[in-house]
């Protein structure tokens, strides 16, 4: 139990005990002074303060019990949160150690002898991999802490720009990319957000759809409005993810088993979720192993609340 919690409980316990003790002291003094008056019925006047003190204490006792229960619950939640955060940090460090160790070993192996042209190319590739990994880690930190530059955004224009960007990616020309956004009678309403970050989120999801699908597979970008929320959904007919690995892809450097054969850092989807949650929205992944995935990004049209 924290020092602050203990102090709060001591204060309330004192508030419960003091009235009864004070009432008892006054009653003893009154009785010792020879007071013999009586109050209605059977309550002796000298003991009236004690009775009032007991009454006050009895009224305060439930509050003490409730506060103790609340503090215990808060402490349990805090301890559980700390344990989860510690476990998450350990997993991240273990994965980071693995991700950095491999390219470093590759560089060392290439430098063991006088490097050939092929080994120089390997060193350059491994160095770029390290640079990309550290850059993605830095981006997540910036996403989580940098102030948002909020503007009014046309979702259709945002999707169009992201799709135009992804069509230049390797392999994108071999996928069937389609966009389906409502145009009549009511197009998607504008949303308030940081345009650069939301563009980055869409490009990351589309990049994953290209990377984890095969030539001829379909990638669809769909949109819909629900109450005060705009949903942008990216779906594909790629390899999909096993159900037991769905939670793993949202963790920094976490990658599904089959995805490890594809070049990547495992930081794309954690960055997407961080961006969407900064805007007060949610990101969810539905996937069917061997069939494909659907990833809806739900964004409040009014933008993030204060402090988002």
């Amino acid at each position: 139990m924290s020092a602050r919690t203990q102090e709060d409980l001591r204060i309330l316990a004192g508030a419960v005990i003091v009235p009864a003790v004070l009432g008892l002291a006054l009653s003893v003094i009154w009785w010792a002074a020879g007071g013999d008056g009586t109050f209605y019925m059977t309550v002796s006047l000298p003991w009236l303060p004690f009775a009032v003190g007991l009454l006050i204490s009895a009224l305060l006792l439930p509050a003490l019990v409730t506060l103790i229960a609340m503090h215990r619950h808060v402490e349990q939640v805090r301890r559980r949160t700390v344990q989860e955060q510690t476990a998450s940090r350990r997993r991240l460090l273990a994965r980071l150690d693995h991700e950095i160790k491999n390219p470093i070993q590759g560089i060392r192996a290439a430098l063991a002898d006088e490097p050939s042209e092929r080994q120089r190319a390997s060193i350059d590739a491994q160095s770029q991999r390290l640079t990309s990994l550290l850059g993605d880690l830095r981006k997540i930190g910036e996403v989580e802490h940098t102030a948002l530059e909020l503007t009014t955004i046309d979702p259709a224009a945002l999707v169009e720009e992201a799709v135009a960007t992804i069509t230049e990616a390797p392999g994108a020309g071999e996928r069937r990319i389609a966009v389906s956004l409502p145009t009549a009678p009511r197009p998607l309403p504008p949303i308030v957000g940081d345009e650069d970050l939301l563009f980055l989120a869409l490009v990351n999801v589309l990049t994953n759809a290209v990377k984890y699908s095969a030539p001829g597979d379909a990638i669809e970008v769909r949109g819909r409005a629900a109450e005060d929320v705009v949903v942008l959904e990216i779906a594909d007919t790629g390899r999909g993810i096993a159900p037991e690995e769905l939670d793993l892809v949202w963790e920094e450097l976490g990658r599904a088993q089959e995805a490890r054969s594809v070049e990547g850092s495992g930081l794309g989807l954690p960055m997407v979720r961080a961006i969407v949650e900064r805007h007060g929205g949610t990101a969810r992944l539905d996937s069917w192993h061997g069939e494909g995935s659907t990833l809806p990004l739900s964004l409040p049209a009014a933008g993030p609340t204060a402090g988002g």
Side-chain angles (χ1 to χ4, degrees):
M1 188 178 294
S2 66
R4 178 61 184 273
T5 299
Q6 292 175 351
E7 180 63 22
D8 290 343
L9 292 177
R10 280 196 294 268
I11 292 172
L12 188 54
V16 171
I17 295 170
V18 166
V21 173
L22 184 59
L24 178 60
L26 290 174
S27 292
V28 169
I29 293 172
W30 197 338
W31 175 76
D36 58 358
T38 56
F39 190 60
Y40 288 142
M41 298 184 185
T42 59
V43 180
S44 175
L45 277 178
W47 296 103
L48 180 60
F50 180 44
V52 172
L54 283 177
L55 178 61
I56 295 174
S57 295
L59 293 174
L60 290 175
L61 186 59
L64 176 62
V65 173
T66 302
L67 186 61
I68 290 173
M70 288 175 57
H71 276 299
R72 285 181 177 174
H73 176 69
V74 168
E75 284 295 315
Q76 289 173 353
V77 171
R78 185 190 65 80
R79 283 196 297 269
R80 187 162 56 247
T81 301
V82 170
Q83 290 171 352
E84 291 173 354
Q85 290 174 343
T86 300
S88 178
R89 282 196 297 269
R90 286 175 178 168
R91 288 195 301 270
L92 174 59
L93 289 173
R95 291 171 185 154
L96 187 58
D97 175 69
H98 174 76
E99 292 291 335
I100 290 178
K101 185 184 296 181
N102 285 346
I104 288 177
Q105 287 175 342
I107 292 172
R108 284 177 174 172
L111 291 174
D113 301 312
E114 184 66 27
S116 63
E117 199 61 38
R118 182 180 62 81
Q119 288 170 323
R120 288 192 183 95
S122 174
I123 292 172
D124 183 60
Q126 299 292 0
S127 299
Q128 289 181 12
R129 180 179 172 186
L130 280 173
T131 301
S132 176
L133 173 64
L134 296 175
D136 286 345
L137 284 169
R138 185 177 64 251
K139 282 180 185 177
I140 290 182
E142 291 173 352
V143 164
E144 291 176 342
H145 302 292
T146 302
L148 300 178
E149 296 182 9
L150 300 178
T151 58
T152 300
I153 305 167
D154 177 5
L158 185 68
V159 168
E160 181 181 355
E161 185 180 1
V163 170
T165 299
I166 203 63
T167 54
E168 303 297 324
E174 301 173 322
R175 275 66 169 171
R176 294 177 289 117
I177 301 178
V179 177
S180 177
L181 302 179
T183 57
R186 301 177 68 184
L188 292 177
I191 58 178
V192 175
D194 188 308
E195 188 168 5
D196 290 338
L197 289 182
L198 291 177
F199 172 77
L200 178 61
L202 280 176
V203 168
N204 266 279
V205 178
L206 286 167
T207 299
N208 274 2
V210 172
K211 284 167 56 175
Y212 301 115
S213 59
D217 279 340
I219 297 174
E220 296 181 1
V221 183
R222 304 187 283 256
R224 64 181 185 274
E227 297 181 355
D228 297 326
V229 174
V230 171
V231 180
L232 300 176
E233 184 175 81
I234 295 87
D236 65 71
T237 57
R239 62 182 66 184
I241 301 170
E244 64 272 13
E245 294 187 311
L246 280 175
D247 290 338
L248 179 65
V249 301
W250 295 111
E251 297 182 12
E252 286 87 347
L253 301 178
R255 306 188 73 194
Q257 187 67 34
E258 292 186 15
R260 293 170 190 172
S261 60
V262 180
E263 187 68 26
S265 64
L267 291 169
L269 289 186
M271 186 184 303
V272 169
R273 172 171 278 182
I275 291 172
V276 173
E277 289 182 348
R278 282 294 308 275
H279 285 77
T282 58
R284 191 183 78 249
L285 176 63
D286 298 318
S287 192
W288 300 268
H289 190 233
E291 299 180 51
S293 303
T294 300
L295 204 160
L297 308 176
S298 301
L299 297 163
T305 57

